[in-house]
Amino acid sequence: MKVIIIDDEASFADSLKDLVQVEGYEAEVYHTLKQAREGLEGADEPMVVLLDHDFRDVGEKDQVGYDFCGWLRENHPFGLLLPIIYLTGRETTEHFLKQQRDNPFVHPSAYISKDQLASDQELLPNLLKQYQEQFERIRELSEKQGVQQALIGFRDMEPEDSNYYEAE
Amino acid sequence: MSEFFPLRQSGNKNYCALCGFSASFAVSFYMKIRQFYIELTFHYGALINAYGKARQPDKAREVFDDMTAKGLKPNETIYGALVNAYGQAGQPEDAEKILRNLPEGLNLSSQTLGYLYNLVIKGYGRANRVEDVNRLKEEMLQKGLPIDVYTLGATGSVYDRMGTLNDETRSLRSREAEQWKELATLFGDVVHELNQPVGAIGLGVSTVKRYFEKGDRGNTLKFLEKLRLQVQFLGERMQVYKALTERSNAEETHRVSDMVSGVEELLRHYAEKAHVRIDIQITDDNKWKQALYLRGDKFLFQMAIRGLVYNAIQACSEESIPLERRHIIIRGIFTPSRPDEQSVAPYGWVDIYVRDEGPGIPPGIRERIFERGFSTKKGRGLGLGLTLAQSVAEHYGGRIVLMPEIATGVEFWLRLPAAPEP
């Protein structure tokens, strides 16, 4: 499992990469969304994405965090199951739930603030471990069921199918 | 023949003395004619200028027409005198017509063209035509012509005379400086900025701990050193904030350029992140020989300026604003005070203009921007920046004005009483 870090705060992204690596995962850092799009075009391996929520890239109109999240979910075979974590301290639970209901494709798997990551030393290792186990389960399911949907069936799923996602 | 016009030898060339004489005569004649034309042009210019001062633009025009009828070519000074004649006589439209119909062959430098624009602006200023003053000032900015103290002086004067009160311009109600609690809320953004290096340090500590637990001495030391550098960086940032929050004696005098630079340093991180350029133009070297100083609490002054610059950065950071428009200009100029302002500003005024090329403020919102708690930043702004700037300005007997009729973006004018150089 690879960990993708997308943040224009170079020092923070760099420190995050160090921590991810010492936990034994491969890490890739992108400082602009444009670079991230180029680097992740065609990616199909299991990965966790840590995305700065306040990211604003210059040059492309749709290059804000939400759009990037949507693009990634639409293009990666894991679709809605791809763990994307927004790094922010600004969001509320209410907004989190609303977004989950309204537009699951741009809805992240979690919101974590940078100070939470910095002060809780076990948070990131535990999260990464949890996602790794989740990928393992998906692999086992696909082997058992032999059904494409178990692994990658989310690509063609419409946002209205959120009931399915919630049931999960 | 040669005895009368002996051949002279000069190097390898021989030439006739008569030819030399004729040539020197021709040059001398040409120089005299040229001098005559220069003097004639000068005299015409003086006459046009005199009629201008006597507020007789039609007479000035007659002289100008006479001059051109005689085949003399008016230069930029003559055009300037004619423009000024109409401007002084309260006919700025005619002055503008001359500006619009300048002959192509003049090849004016941007400085000279700016000078002519300033004369027309001055004319509109005399006629209290605020919109036209701003229209031309905008045009100058669009054409890249130099906006100097004379342009700003002309625009400042017209606002002064108009009392800055019309539908588009908000002169602000007097109000006590906001309470310290509210000032402190602005530091939410400071906390957000410090969050980055503090976050990096927190992650760094976890990394060092993991390597230590693994018994990896090499990486433990390597990442400890990295951590030390991050702490050092944080310390440097803290110094910037410390300098900002040092309360100063109310009687202390502070150089405006230093305070503006301090604010720029404080906000550099935000500006760089949003790819916004900040230009600072403080005209300490002005015709009144008055370097810009303010007396009072440095913290309050910097908070007022910060509020304006921070808003400008936010405006330029809008997604729709292309890179070339992510630009802020902070101008500081000295303006002498009028006789009736001597009690408030005995040493004149410091005028600080903060200009951005962002999306601007929609007409419906312009009236509300100074309200406490009003913000256009969709939950991110506290809505206190402008209110605080307003409070600080009025606390010191100054004011803050949202400049009307700006074609692109927004310009705020902060006026504070100047202090003498210590």
Side-chain angles (χ1 to χ4, degrees), chain A residues 7-9 11-12 14-16 18-19 21-24 52 54 56-58 60-64 67 90 114-115 117-122 124-125, chain B residues 189 192 195-207 209-211 214 223 226 230 233 269 273-275 317-323 326 380:
Chain A
D7 195 334
D8 56 353
E9 292 287 347
S11 67
F12 187 87
D14 198 32
S15 297
L16 198 50
D18 293 339
L19 184 57
Q21 284 176 334
V22 75
E23 291 298 330
D52 182 3
D54 297 325
R56 293 241 159 178
D57 209 354
V58 181
E60 287 182 63
K61 272 188 176 177
D62 63 342
Q63 289 283 302
V64 292
D67 299 317
R90 298 185 192 273
K114 288 183 176 178
D115 50 282
L117 264 186
S119 57
D120 185 347
Q121 296 192 351
E122 298 306 317
L124 187 66
Chain B
D189 285 317
H192 177 68
N195 216 11
Q196 306 298 334
V198 169
I201 289 167
L203 294 171
V205 169
S206 300
T207 305
K209 191 174 165 235
R210 286 281 190 276
Y211 278 119
K214 286 181 176 183
F223 285 98
K226 200 170 173 182
Q230 283 169 337
F233 172 75
H269 178 78
K273 205 173 165 189
H275 304 268
S317 310
E318 291 279 320
E319 205 181 321
S320 59
I321 306 299
L323 261 184
R326 295 188 174 216
R380 291 195 59 174

Side-chain angles (χ1 to χ4, degrees), chain B residues 183-391:
Chain B
L183 277 170
T185 54
L186 274 182
F187 279 87
D189 285 317
V190 174
V191 170
H192 177 68
E193 191 193 329
L194 290 181
N195 216 11
Q196 306 298 334
V198 169
I201 289 167
L203 294 171
V205 169
S206 300
T207 305
V208 169
K209 191 174 165 235
R210 286 281 190 276
Y211 278 119
F212 182 75
E213 284 165 356
K214 286 181 176 183
D216 186 340
R217 183 181 153 80
N219 271 322
T220 303
L221 289 175
K222 179 185 158 192
F223 285 98
L224 265 177
E225 174 59 14
K226 200 170 173 182
L227 203 53
R228 190 189 65 77
L229 291 172
Q230 283 169 337
V231 171
Q232 188 180 325
F233 172 75
L234 178 64
E236 284 163 8
R237 292 304 301 163
M238 294 298 286
Q239 287 298 320
V240 174
Y241 296 119
K242 196 174 166 225
L244 173 77
T245 52
E246 274 171 358
R247 299 281 329 262
S248 63
N249 188 309
E251 292 305 309
E252 272 181 33
T253 302
H254 311 281
R255 200 178 176 109
V256 172
S257 53
D258 291 342
M259 290 194 289
V260 171
S261 298
V263 170
E264 190 270 334
E265 194 177 354
L266 189 70
L267 295 173
R268 191 179 297 157
H269 178 78
Y270 284 112
E272 282 176 355
K273 205 173 165 189
H275 304 268
V276 176
R277 285 176 295 127
I278 300 181
D279 279 346
I280 300 175
Q281 302 166 5
I282 307 292
T283 49
D284 278 326
D285 183 20
N286 49 52
K287 69 173 177 180
W288 295 280
K289 306 285 176 208
Q290 291 275 350
L292 273 59
Y293 282 91
L294 292 171
R295 176 174 291 164
D297 193 323
K298 187 179 168 191
F299 174 78
L300 291 179
F301 292 139
Q302 287 194 304
M303 287 308 283
I305 300 166
R306 182 196 173 278
L308 300 181
V309 180
Y310 183 78
N311 278 351
I313 294 174
Q314 291 275 347
C316 288
S317 310
E318 291 279 320
E319 205 181 321
S320 59
I321 306 299
L323 261 184
E324 61 273 15
R325 273 179 53 198
R326 295 188 174 216
H327 184 211
I328 296 169
I329 306 171
I330 309 171
R331 287 190 286 260
I333 64 160
F334 173 80
T335 308
S337 46
R338 293 192 311 253
D340 60 315
E341 293 170 335
Q342 287 296 317
S343 59
V344 185
Y347 302 103
W349 297 100
V350 166
D351 287 323
I352 297 169
Y353 295 83
V354 178
R355 169 74 186 267
D356 68 65
E357 292 185 54
I361 300 173
I365 293 176
R366 294 178 74 90
E367 293 75 19
R368 297 189 58 203
I369 56 160
F370 290 106
E371 287 175 17
R372 277 182 67 200
F374 181 77
S375 172
T376 57
K377 293 176 208 127
K378 293 172 188 165
R380 291 195 59 174
L382 293 162
L384 288 171
L386 282 176
T387 316
L388 282 166
Q390 176 191 13
S391 301

